[in-house]
Amino acid sequence: MAEFMDVHHGMKDITSEKLREAHNADLAIEGEEGVHFKQAWADPETGTVYCLSEGPSADAIRRVHERAGHPADEIHPVPITA
């Protein structure tokens, strides 16, 4: 399965609790698209959130985030890791 890193902008003042809620919303429906969200990180100062996931396509990742209420601004394939 392919890995993806997606980016959300404009989530200013996000807290650990709000990040966990958003991540849990993804986890609740990820299986419907054959996706698995591995981890999420956030910078409250810039409002930037990053999510690492596995899935069949960037479109599947996009659909889960949209349905969970926080569409991704960018989705990047991660074909190589170290």
Side-chain angles (χ1 to χ4, degrees):
M1 199 159 319
E3 270 193 323
F4 298 90
M5 178 68 71
D6 62 71
V7 184
H8 306 256
H9 299 287
M11 297 180 84
K12 287 267 190 195
D13 300 319
I14 190 162
T15 63
S16 294
E17 183 177 304
K18 288 179 185 176
L19 180 63
R20 175 62 54 199
E21 287 174 9
H23 186 65
N24 285 340
D26 292 327
L27 295 177
I29 60 174
E30 68 181 12
E32 296 171 22
E33 293 285 349
V35 170
H36 175 60
F37 286 91
K38 296 174 144 186
Q39 193 163 359
W41 300 266
D43 179 355
E45 266 188 48
T46 65
T48 306
V49 172
Y50 304 91
C51 301
L52 181 65
S53 59
E54 291 180 326
S57 67
D59 286 336
I61 305 298
R62 185 177 318 282
R63 285 190 297 269
V64 172
H65 276 320
E66 286 174 355
R67 290 177 53 209
H70 43 266
D73 296 300
E74 305 170 34
I75 300 177
H76 304 277
V78 183
I80 298 173
T81 60

Short mmCIF file of all heavy atoms in Angstrom, two decimals, residues 11-76:
data_model
loop_
_atom_site.label_atom_id
_atom_site.label_comp_id
_atom_site.label_asym_id
_atom_site.label_seq_id
_atom_site.Cartn_x
_atom_site.Cartn_y
_atom_site.Cartn_z
N MET A 11 -5.31 25.91 10.47
CA MET A 11 -5.88 25.34 11.71
C MET A 11 -5.22 26.02 12.91
O MET A 11 -4.71 25.36 13.82
CB MET A 11 -5.72 23.83 11.71
CG MET A 11 -6.48 23.16 10.57
SD MET A 11 -6.33 21.36 10.52
CE MET A 11 -7.61 20.91 11.70
N LYS A 12 -5.24 27.34 12.91
CA LYS A 12 -4.60 28.14 13.96
C LYS A 12 -5.11 27.74 15.34
O LYS A 12 -6.29 27.42 15.50
CB LYS A 12 -4.89 29.63 13.75
CG LYS A 12 -4.13 30.23 12.60
CD LYS A 12 -2.87 30.83 13.10
CE LYS A 12 -2.24 31.64 11.99
NZ LYS A 12 -0.89 31.97 12.25
N ASP A 13 -4.21 27.81 16.30
CA ASP A 13 -4.53 27.53 17.70
C ASP A 13 -5.05 26.11 17.94
O ASP A 13 -5.77 25.86 18.90
CB ASP A 13 -5.54 28.56 18.25
CG ASP A 13 -5.00 29.97 18.17
OD1 ASP A 13 -3.80 30.17 18.46
OD2 ASP A 13 -5.77 30.88 17.81
N ILE A 14 -4.68 25.18 17.08
CA ILE A 14 -5.09 23.79 17.30
C ILE A 14 -4.42 23.29 18.58
O ILE A 14 -3.27 23.62 18.86
CB ILE A 14 -4.77 22.90 16.09
CG1 ILE A 14 -5.43 21.53 16.26
CG2 ILE A 14 -3.27 22.80 15.85
CD1 ILE A 14 -5.55 20.73 15.01
N THR A 15 -5.17 22.53 19.34
CA THR A 15 -4.66 21.96 20.59
C THR A 15 -4.44 20.46 20.40
O THR A 15 -4.91 19.88 19.41
CB THR A 15 -5.67 22.17 21.72
OG1 THR A 15 -6.88 21.45 21.39
CG2 THR A 15 -5.99 23.64 21.94
N SER A 16 -3.78 19.86 21.36
CA SER A 16 -3.60 18.40 21.33
C SER A 16 -4.95 17.70 21.30
O SER A 16 -5.13 16.72 20.57
CB SER A 16 -2.81 17.93 22.55
OG SER A 16 -1.51 18.41 22.52
N GLU A 17 -5.88 18.22 22.06
CA GLU A 17 -7.22 17.61 22.11
C GLU A 17 -7.93 17.72 20.76
O GLU A 17 -8.52 16.75 20.28
CB GLU A 17 -8.06 18.28 23.20
CG GLU A 17 -9.43 17.66 23.35
CD GLU A 17 -10.22 18.29 24.49
OE1 GLU A 17 -9.70 18.30 25.62
OE2 GLU A 17 -11.35 18.76 24.22
N LYS A 18 -7.88 18.89 20.14
CA LYS A 18 -8.52 19.07 18.83
C LYS A 18 -7.85 18.21 17.76
O LYS A 18 -8.53 17.67 16.89
CB LYS A 18 -8.50 20.54 18.42
CG LYS A 18 -9.43 21.41 19.23
CD LYS A 18 -9.33 22.85 18.78
CE LYS A 18 -10.18 23.75 19.65
NZ LYS A 18 -10.00 25.17 19.28
N LEU A 19 -6.52 18.09 17.83
CA LEU A 19 -5.81 17.23 16.88
C LEU A 19 -6.24 15.79 17.06
O LEU A 19 -6.50 15.08 16.10
CB LEU A 19 -4.30 17.38 17.06
CG LEU A 19 -3.44 16.53 16.12
CD1 LEU A 19 -3.66 16.92 14.67
CD2 LEU A 19 -1.97 16.67 16.51
N ARG A 20 -6.33 15.34 18.30
CA ARG A 20 -6.76 13.96 18.60
C ARG A 20 -8.19 13.74 18.09
O ARG A 20 -8.50 12.69 17.51
CB ARG A 20 -6.67 13.69 20.10
CG ARG A 20 -7.19 12.34 20.55
CD ARG A 20 -6.51 11.14 20.01
NE ARG A 20 -5.09 11.16 20.22
CZ ARG A 20 -4.23 10.41 19.53
NH1 ARG A 20 -4.64 9.59 18.59
NH2 ARG A 20 -2.95 10.48 19.75
N GLU A 21 -9.08 14.70 18.28
CA GLU A 21 -10.47 14.58 17.80
C GLU A 21 -10.50 14.44 16.28
O GLU A 21 -11.23 13.60 15.74
CB GLU A 21 -11.29 15.78 18.24
CG GLU A 21 -11.64 15.80 19.71
CD GLU A 21 -12.33 17.09 20.13
OE1 GLU A 21 -12.69 17.92 19.26
OE2 GLU A 21 -12.49 17.29 21.36
N ALA A 22 -9.73 15.27 15.59
CA ALA A 22 -9.69 15.21 14.12
C ALA A 22 -9.12 13.87 13.66
O ALA A 22 -9.66 13.25 12.74
CB ALA A 22 -8.87 16.37 13.57
N HIS A 23 -8.05 13.42 14.30
CA HIS A 23 -7.44 12.14 13.95
C HIS A 23 -8.43 10.99 14.20
O HIS A 23 -8.58 10.10 13.36
CB HIS A 23 -6.16 11.95 14.77
CG HIS A 23 -5.37 10.74 14.40
ND1 HIS A 23 -4.78 10.57 13.17
CD2 HIS A 23 -5.08 9.63 15.13
CE1 HIS A 23 -4.16 9.40 13.15
NE2 HIS A 23 -4.32 8.82 14.31
N ASN A 24 -9.12 11.03 15.31
CA ASN A 24 -10.11 9.99 15.62
C ASN A 24 -11.27 9.99 14.62
O ASN A 24 -11.81 8.93 14.30
CB ASN A 24 -10.64 10.14 17.05
CG ASN A 24 -9.63 9.68 18.08
OD1 ASN A 24 -8.70 8.93 17.77
ND2 ASN A 24 -9.78 10.14 19.31
N ALA A 25 -11.65 11.17 14.12
CA ALA A 25 -12.70 11.24 13.10
C ALA A 25 -12.25 10.53 11.83
O ALA A 25 -13.04 9.83 11.19
CB ALA A 25 -13.06 12.70 12.82
N ASP A 26 -10.98 10.69 11.48
CA ASP A 26 -10.43 9.96 10.32
C ASP A 26 -10.43 8.46 10.59
O ASP A 26 -10.84 7.66 9.74
CB ASP A 26 -9.00 10.41 10.02
CG ASP A 26 -8.92 11.83 9.51
OD1 ASP A 26 -9.86 12.28 8.82
OD2 ASP A 26 -7.90 12.50 9.79
N LEU A 27 -9.95 8.06 11.77
CA LEU A 27 -9.86 6.64 12.11
C LEU A 27 -11.23 5.96 12.09
O LEU A 27 -11.33 4.79 11.73
CB LEU A 27 -9.22 6.46 13.49
CG LEU A 27 -7.76 6.91 13.63
CD1 LEU A 27 -7.30 6.73 15.08
CD2 LEU A 27 -6.85 6.18 12.66
N ALA A 28 -12.26 6.70 12.46
CA ALA A 28 -13.60 6.12 12.53
C ALA A 28 -14.13 5.67 11.16
O ALA A 28 -14.96 4.76 11.09
CB ALA A 28 -14.57 7.12 13.17
N ILE A 29 -13.65 6.31 10.09
CA ILE A 29 -14.19 5.99 8.76
C ILE A 29 -13.13 5.53 7.76
O ILE A 29 -13.45 5.21 6.62
CB ILE A 29 -14.97 7.19 8.17
CG1 ILE A 29 -14.07 8.42 8.03
CG2 ILE A 29 -16.21 7.48 9.01
CD1 ILE A 29 -14.73 9.60 7.32
N GLU A 30 -11.88 5.46 8.19
CA GLU A 30 -10.79 5.14 7.26
C GLU A 30 -10.97 3.81 6.54
O GLU A 30 -10.63 3.68 5.36
CB GLU A 30 -9.43 5.17 7.98
CG GLU A 30 -9.26 4.06 8.99
CD GLU A 30 -7.94 4.09 9.73
OE1 GLU A 30 -7.20 5.09 9.64
OE2 GLU A 30 -7.64 3.09 10.41
N GLY A 31 -11.50 2.82 7.21
CA GLY A 31 -11.66 1.50 6.62
C GLY A 31 -12.59 1.48 5.42
O GLY A 31 -12.45 0.64 4.53
N GLU A 32 -13.53 2.41 5.38
CA GLU A 32 -14.48 2.47 4.26
C GLU A 32 -13.78 2.81 2.95
O GLU A 32 -14.32 2.53 1.87
CB GLU A 32 -15.57 3.49 4.57
CG GLU A 32 -16.41 3.10 5.77
CD GLU A 32 -17.34 4.20 6.21
OE1 GLU A 32 -17.67 5.10 5.40
OE2 GLU A 32 -17.75 4.17 7.39
N GLU A 33 -12.59 3.40 3.03
CA GLU A 33 -11.83 3.77 1.83
C GLU A 33 -10.55 2.94 1.71
O GLU A 33 -9.73 3.21 0.83
CB GLU A 33 -11.47 5.26 1.86
CG GLU A 33 -12.66 6.19 1.75
CD GLU A 33 -13.22 6.27 0.34
OE1 GLU A 33 -12.59 5.78 -0.62
OE2 GLU A 33 -14.31 6.86 0.19
N GLY A 34 -10.34 1.98 2.61
CA GLY A 34 -9.14 1.17 2.57
C GLY A 34 -7.88 1.95 2.94
O GLY A 34 -6.79 1.68 2.46
N VAL A 35 -8.05 2.94 3.83
CA VAL A 35 -6.99 3.85 4.24
C VAL A 35 -6.64 3.57 5.70
O VAL A 35 -7.48 3.11 6.47
CB VAL A 35 -7.48 5.31 4.08
CG1 VAL A 35 -6.54 6.30 4.70
CG2 VAL A 35 -7.71 5.63 2.61
N HIS A 36 -5.40 3.88 6.08
CA HIS A 36 -5.02 3.86 7.49
C HIS A 36 -4.21 5.11 7.80
O HIS A 36 -3.16 5.33 7.20
CB HIS A 36 -4.21 2.63 7.87
CG HIS A 36 -3.72 2.68 9.28
ND1 HIS A 36 -4.57 2.77 10.36
CD2 HIS A 36 -2.47 2.70 9.78
CE1 HIS A 36 -3.86 2.82 11.47
NE2 HIS A 36 -2.58 2.80 11.15
N PHE A 37 -4.72 5.93 8.71
CA PHE A 37 -4.01 7.12 9.15
C PHE A 37 -3.10 6.74 10.30
O PHE A 37 -3.56 6.32 11.36
CB PHE A 37 -5.00 8.23 9.57
CG PHE A 37 -5.65 8.86 8.37
CD1 PHE A 37 -6.84 8.35 7.88
CD2 PHE A 37 -5.06 9.91 7.72
CE1 PHE A 37 -7.43 8.90 6.76
CE2 PHE A 37 -5.63 10.47 6.59
CZ PHE A 37 -6.83 9.96 6.12
N LYS A 38 -1.79 6.87 10.08
CA LYS A 38 -0.78 6.42 11.03
C LYS A 38 -0.51 7.41 12.15
O LYS A 38 -0.40 7.02 13.31
CB LYS A 38 0.53 6.14 10.30
CG LYS A 38 0.45 5.02 9.30
CD LYS A 38 1.75 4.94 8.54
CE LYS A 38 2.11 3.52 8.22
NZ LYS A 38 3.44 3.43 7.62
N GLN A 39 -0.35 8.67 11.79
CA GLN A 39 0.03 9.67 12.80
C GLN A 39 -0.29 11.06 12.29
O GLN A 39 -0.35 11.29 11.08
CB GLN A 39 1.52 9.56 13.10
CG GLN A 39 1.94 10.32 14.32
CD GLN A 39 3.30 9.87 14.83
OE1 GLN A 39 3.93 8.98 14.27
NE2 GLN A 39 3.76 10.50 15.90
N ALA A 40 -0.46 11.99 13.22
CA ALA A 40 -0.71 13.39 12.87
C ALA A 40 0.15 14.29 13.75
O ALA A 40 0.40 13.97 14.92
CB ALA A 40 -2.19 13.73 13.04
N TRP A 41 0.60 15.39 13.18
CA TRP A 41 1.39 16.38 13.90
C TRP A 41 0.79 17.75 13.63
O TRP A 41 0.20 17.96 12.58
CB TRP A 41 2.83 16.41 13.37
CG TRP A 41 3.59 15.15 13.49
CD1 TRP A 41 4.43 14.78 14.51
CD2 TRP A 41 3.64 14.08 12.55
NE1 TRP A 41 4.98 13.55 14.24
CE2 TRP A 41 4.51 13.09 13.05
CE3 TRP A 41 3.01 13.84 11.32
CZ2 TRP A 41 4.79 11.91 12.37
CZ3 TRP A 41 3.28 12.67 10.64
CH2 TRP A 41 4.16 11.72 11.17
N ALA A 42 0.98 18.69 14.56
CA ALA A 42 0.42 20.03 14.38
C ALA A 42 1.35 21.10 14.93
O ALA A 42 2.06 20.87 15.91
CB ALA A 42 -0.94 20.14 15.07
N ASP A 43 1.30 22.26 14.29
CA ASP A 43 1.98 23.46 14.77
C ASP A 43 0.91 24.52 15.01
O ASP A 43 0.40 25.11 14.05
CB ASP A 43 3.00 23.94 13.73
CG ASP A 43 3.73 25.20 14.17
OD1 ASP A 43 3.39 25.78 15.23
OD2 ASP A 43 4.63 25.64 13.44
N PRO A 44 0.53 24.73 16.26
CA PRO A 44 -0.55 25.68 16.56
C PRO A 44 -0.23 27.12 16.13
O PRO A 44 -1.14 27.87 15.79
CB PRO A 44 -0.70 25.61 18.08
CG PRO A 44 0.04 24.41 18.52
CD PRO A 44 1.03 24.07 17.47
N GLU A 45 1.04 27.48 16.13
CA GLU A 45 1.41 28.85 15.75
C GLU A 45 1.11 29.13 14.29
O GLU A 45 0.57 30.17 13.95
CB GLU A 45 2.90 29.08 16.00
CG GLU A 45 3.18 29.69 17.34
CD GLU A 45 4.63 30.09 17.48
OE1 GLU A 45 5.18 30.74 16.57
OE2 GLU A 45 5.20 29.72 18.51
N THR A 46 1.47 28.21 13.42
CA THR A 46 1.24 28.42 11.98
C THR A 46 -0.10 27.86 11.53
O THR A 46 -0.57 28.18 10.45
CB THR A 46 2.34 27.75 11.14
OG1 THR A 46 2.27 26.33 11.32
CG2 THR A 46 3.71 28.28 11.51
N GLY A 47 -0.70 26.99 12.35
CA GLY A 47 -1.97 26.37 11.97
C GLY A 47 -1.80 25.26 10.95
O GLY A 47 -2.73 24.91 10.24
N THR A 48 -0.58 24.71 10.88
CA THR A 48 -0.30 23.64 9.91
C THR A 48 -0.40 22.28 10.59
O THR A 48 0.14 22.09 11.68
CB THR A 48 1.11 23.81 9.31
OG1 THR A 48 1.23 25.13 8.77
CG2 THR A 48 1.37 22.80 8.22
N VAL A 49 -1.10 21.36 9.93
CA VAL A 49 -1.25 20.00 10.43
C VAL A 49 -0.76 19.06 9.33
O VAL A 49 -1.04 19.26 8.16
CB VAL A 49 -2.72 19.69 10.79
CG1 VAL A 49 -2.91 18.22 11.13
CG2 VAL A 49 -3.17 20.58 11.94
N TYR A 50 -0.02 18.03 9.75
CA TYR A 50 0.51 17.02 8.84
C TYR A 50 -0.04 15.66 9.25
O TYR A 50 -0.11 15.35 10.43
CB TYR A 50 2.04 16.95 8.93
CG TYR A 50 2.72 18.26 8.68
CD1 TYR A 50 3.01 19.13 9.73
CD2 TYR A 50 3.08 18.64 7.39
CE1 TYR A 50 3.64 20.33 9.50
CE2 TYR A 50 3.72 19.84 7.16
CZ TYR A 50 4.00 20.69 8.23
OH TYR A 50 4.62 21.89 8.00
N CYS A 51 -0.41 14.85 8.27
CA CYS A 51 -0.90 13.50 8.54
C CYS A 51 -0.17 12.50 7.66
O CYS A 51 -0.05 12.71 6.45
CB CYS A 51 -2.39 13.39 8.24
SG CYS A 51 -3.43 14.51 9.17
N LEU A 52 0.29 11.42 8.26
CA LEU A 52 0.92 10.34 7.53
C LEU A 52 -0.07 9.19 7.45
O LEU A 52 -0.65 8.79 8.46
CB LEU A 52 2.20 9.88 8.24
CG LEU A 52 2.97 8.75 7.57
CD1 LEU A 52 3.52 9.20 6.22
CD2 LEU A 52 4.11 8.29 8.48
N SER A 53 -0.26 8.68 6.24
CA SER A 53 -1.25 7.62 6.06
C SER A 53 -0.80 6.64 5.00
O SER A 53 0.14 6.88 4.25
CB SER A 53 -2.59 8.24 5.65
OG SER A 53 -2.44 8.96 4.45
N GLU A 54 -1.51 5.52 4.95
CA GLU A 54 -1.36 4.52 3.90
C GLU A 54 -2.72 4.37 3.23
O GLU A 54 -3.74 4.45 3.89
CB GLU A 54 -0.99 3.16 4.48
CG GLU A 54 0.37 3.07 5.07
CD GLU A 54 0.65 1.69 5.62
OE1 GLU A 54 -0.29 1.04 6.13
OE2 GLU A 54 1.81 1.27 5.55
N GLY A 55 -2.69 4.15 1.93
CA GLY A 55 -3.95 3.95 1.23
C GLY A 55 -3.74 3.62 -0.22
O GLY A 55 -2.62 3.68 -0.73
N PRO A 56 -4.83 3.32 -0.90
CA PRO A 56 -4.75 2.95 -2.31
C PRO A 56 -4.47 4.13 -3.24
O PRO A 56 -3.95 3.95 -4.33
CB PRO A 56 -6.10 2.32 -2.60
CG PRO A 56 -7.02 2.93 -1.60
CD PRO A 56 -6.18 3.18 -0.38
N SER A 57 -4.82 5.36 -2.79
CA SER A 57 -4.64 6.53 -3.66
C SER A 57 -4.77 7.81 -2.84
O SER A 57 -5.35 7.82 -1.76
CB SER A 57 -5.70 6.55 -4.77
OG SER A 57 -6.97 6.77 -4.21
N ALA A 58 -4.27 8.90 -3.43
CA ALA A 58 -4.44 10.21 -2.80
C ALA A 58 -5.92 10.58 -2.75
O ALA A 58 -6.38 11.22 -1.79
CB ALA A 58 -3.66 11.26 -3.58
N ASP A 59 -6.69 10.15 -3.73
CA ASP A 59 -8.13 10.44 -3.73
C ASP A 59 -8.83 9.79 -2.55
O ASP A 59 -9.75 10.37 -1.96
CB ASP A 59 -8.78 9.99 -5.04
CG ASP A 59 -8.44 10.91 -6.20
OD1 ASP A 59 -8.12 12.09 -5.95
OD2 ASP A 59 -8.50 10.45 -7.35
N ALA A 60 -8.42 8.58 -2.19
CA ALA A 60 -9.03 7.91 -1.03
C ALA A 60 -8.71 8.68 0.24
O ALA A 60 -9.58 8.87 1.10
CB ALA A 60 -8.52 6.47 -0.93
N ILE A 61 -7.48 9.16 0.38
CA ILE A 61 -7.08 9.97 1.54
C ILE A 61 -7.93 11.24 1.57
O ILE A 61 -8.48 11.62 2.61
CB ILE A 61 -5.59 10.35 1.46
CG1 ILE A 61 -4.68 9.13 1.31
CG2 ILE A 61 -5.18 11.22 2.64
CD1 ILE A 61 -4.70 8.13 2.40
N ARG A 62 -8.04 11.89 0.41
CA ARG A 62 -8.81 13.13 0.31
C ARG A 62 -10.27 12.92 0.74
O ARG A 62 -10.84 13.72 1.49
CB ARG A 62 -8.75 13.66 -1.13
CG ARG A 62 -9.40 15.01 -1.32
CD ARG A 62 -9.27 15.55 -2.74
NE ARG A 62 -7.97 15.35 -3.35
CZ ARG A 62 -6.88 16.10 -3.11
NH1 ARG A 62 -6.96 17.08 -2.24
NH2 ARG A 62 -5.74 15.85 -3.71
N ARG A 63 -10.87 11.84 0.26
CA ARG A 63 -12.28 11.58 0.60
C ARG A 63 -12.49 11.40 2.10
O ARG A 63 -13.45 11.93 2.66
CB ARG A 63 -12.78 10.35 -0.16
CG ARG A 63 -13.05 10.61 -1.62
CD ARG A 63 -13.78 9.46 -2.29
NE ARG A 63 -13.02 8.21 -2.29
CZ ARG A 63 -12.20 7.83 -3.26
NH1 ARG A 63 -12.01 8.62 -4.31
NH2 ARG A 63 -11.58 6.67 -3.19
N VAL A 64 -11.59 10.67 2.75
CA VAL A 64 -11.75 10.47 4.20
C VAL A 64 -11.65 11.80 4.93
O VAL A 64 -12.49 12.13 5.78
CB VAL A 64 -10.70 9.47 4.75
CG1 VAL A 64 -10.75 9.42 6.28
CG2 VAL A 64 -10.93 8.08 4.18
N HIS A 65 -10.64 12.60 4.62
CA HIS A 65 -10.49 13.90 5.29
C HIS A 65 -11.70 14.80 5.04
O HIS A 65 -12.18 15.47 5.97
CB HIS A 65 -9.22 14.60 4.83
CG HIS A 65 -7.99 14.19 5.56
ND1 HIS A 65 -7.93 13.96 6.91
CD2 HIS A 65 -6.72 13.99 5.10
CE1 HIS A 65 -6.70 13.64 7.26
NE2 HIS A 65 -5.95 13.64 6.18
N GLU A 66 -12.20 14.81 3.82
CA GLU A 66 -13.37 15.64 3.52
C GLU A 66 -14.58 15.18 4.33
O GLU A 66 -15.30 15.99 4.91
CB GLU A 66 -13.67 15.61 2.03
CG GLU A 66 -12.69 16.42 1.22
CD GLU A 66 -12.88 16.31 -0.28
OE1 GLU A 66 -13.72 15.50 -0.74
OE2 GLU A 66 -12.15 17.02 -1.01
N ARG A 67 -14.81 13.88 4.35
CA ARG A 67 -15.96 13.34 5.10
C ARG A 67 -15.81 13.57 6.60
O ARG A 67 -16.81 13.76 7.29
CB ARG A 67 -16.10 11.85 4.81
CG ARG A 67 -16.57 11.57 3.39
CD ARG A 67 -16.65 10.10 3.08
NE ARG A 67 -17.44 9.39 4.07
CZ ARG A 67 -17.25 8.11 4.39
NH1 ARG A 67 -16.32 7.39 3.80
NH2 ARG A 67 -18.02 7.53 5.29
N ALA A 68 -14.57 13.59 7.09
CA ALA A 68 -14.34 13.80 8.53
C ALA A 68 -14.43 15.29 8.89
O ALA A 68 -14.41 15.63 10.08
CB ALA A 68 -12.98 13.24 8.92
N GLY A 69 -14.52 16.16 7.89
CA GLY A 69 -14.74 17.58 8.17
C GLY A 69 -13.50 18.45 8.15
O GLY A 69 -13.57 19.61 8.55
N HIS A 70 -12.38 17.93 7.69
CA HIS A 70 -11.16 18.74 7.61
C HIS A 70 -10.38 18.37 6.34
O HIS A 70 -9.43 17.61 6.38
CB HIS A 70 -10.29 18.58 8.87
CG HIS A 70 -10.19 17.16 9.34
ND1 HIS A 70 -11.01 16.62 10.29
CD2 HIS A 70 -9.36 16.15 8.96
CE1 HIS A 70 -10.70 15.35 10.47
NE2 HIS A 70 -9.70 15.05 9.68
N PRO A 71 -10.82 18.92 5.19
CA PRO A 71 -10.18 18.60 3.92
C PRO A 71 -8.70 18.97 3.92
O PRO A 71 -8.31 19.97 4.52
CB PRO A 71 -10.93 19.46 2.91
CG PRO A 71 -12.06 20.10 3.61
CD PRO A 71 -11.90 19.88 5.08
N ALA A 72 -7.91 18.16 3.26
CA ALA A 72 -6.48 18.42 3.13
C ALA A 72 -6.24 19.45 2.03
O ALA A 72 -6.90 19.42 0.98
CB ALA A 72 -5.74 17.13 2.81
N ASP A 73 -5.29 20.34 2.25
CA ASP A 73 -4.91 21.32 1.24
C ASP A 73 -3.90 20.73 0.26
O ASP A 73 -3.85 21.17 -0.90
CB ASP A 73 -4.32 22.57 1.91
CG ASP A 73 -5.34 23.27 2.76
OD1 ASP A 73 -6.38 23.69 2.21
OD2 ASP A 73 -5.12 23.39 3.98
N GLU A 74 -3.10 19.79 0.73
CA GLU A 74 -2.08 19.14 -0.11
C GLU A 74 -2.02 17.67 0.27
O GLU A 74 -2.15 17.33 1.44
CB GLU A 74 -0.70 19.74 0.15
CG GLU A 74 -0.58 21.22 -0.02
CD GLU A 74 0.76 21.74 0.50
OE1 GLU A 74 1.78 21.02 0.37
OE2 GLU A 74 0.77 22.85 1.05
N ILE A 75 -1.77 16.82 -0.71
CA ILE A 75 -1.52 15.40 -0.45
C ILE A 75 -0.34 15.00 -1.32
O ILE A 75 -0.37 15.17 -2.54
CB ILE A 75 -2.74 14.51 -0.75
CG1 ILE A 75 -3.93 14.93 0.10
CG2 ILE A 75 -2.39 13.04 -0.51
CD1 ILE A 75 -5.21 14.17 -0.19
N HIS A 76 0.70 14.48 -0.66
CA HIS A 76 1.93 14.12 -1.35
C HIS A 76 2.23 12.64 -1.18
O HIS A 76 2.21 12.13 -0.05
CB HIS A 76 3.12 14.91 -0.78
CG HIS A 76 2.91 16.39 -0.82
ND1 HIS A 76 3.16 17.13 -1.94
CD2 HIS A 76 2.45 17.25 0.13
CE1 HIS A 76 2.88 18.40 -1.68
NE2 HIS A 76 2.44 18.50 -0.45
#
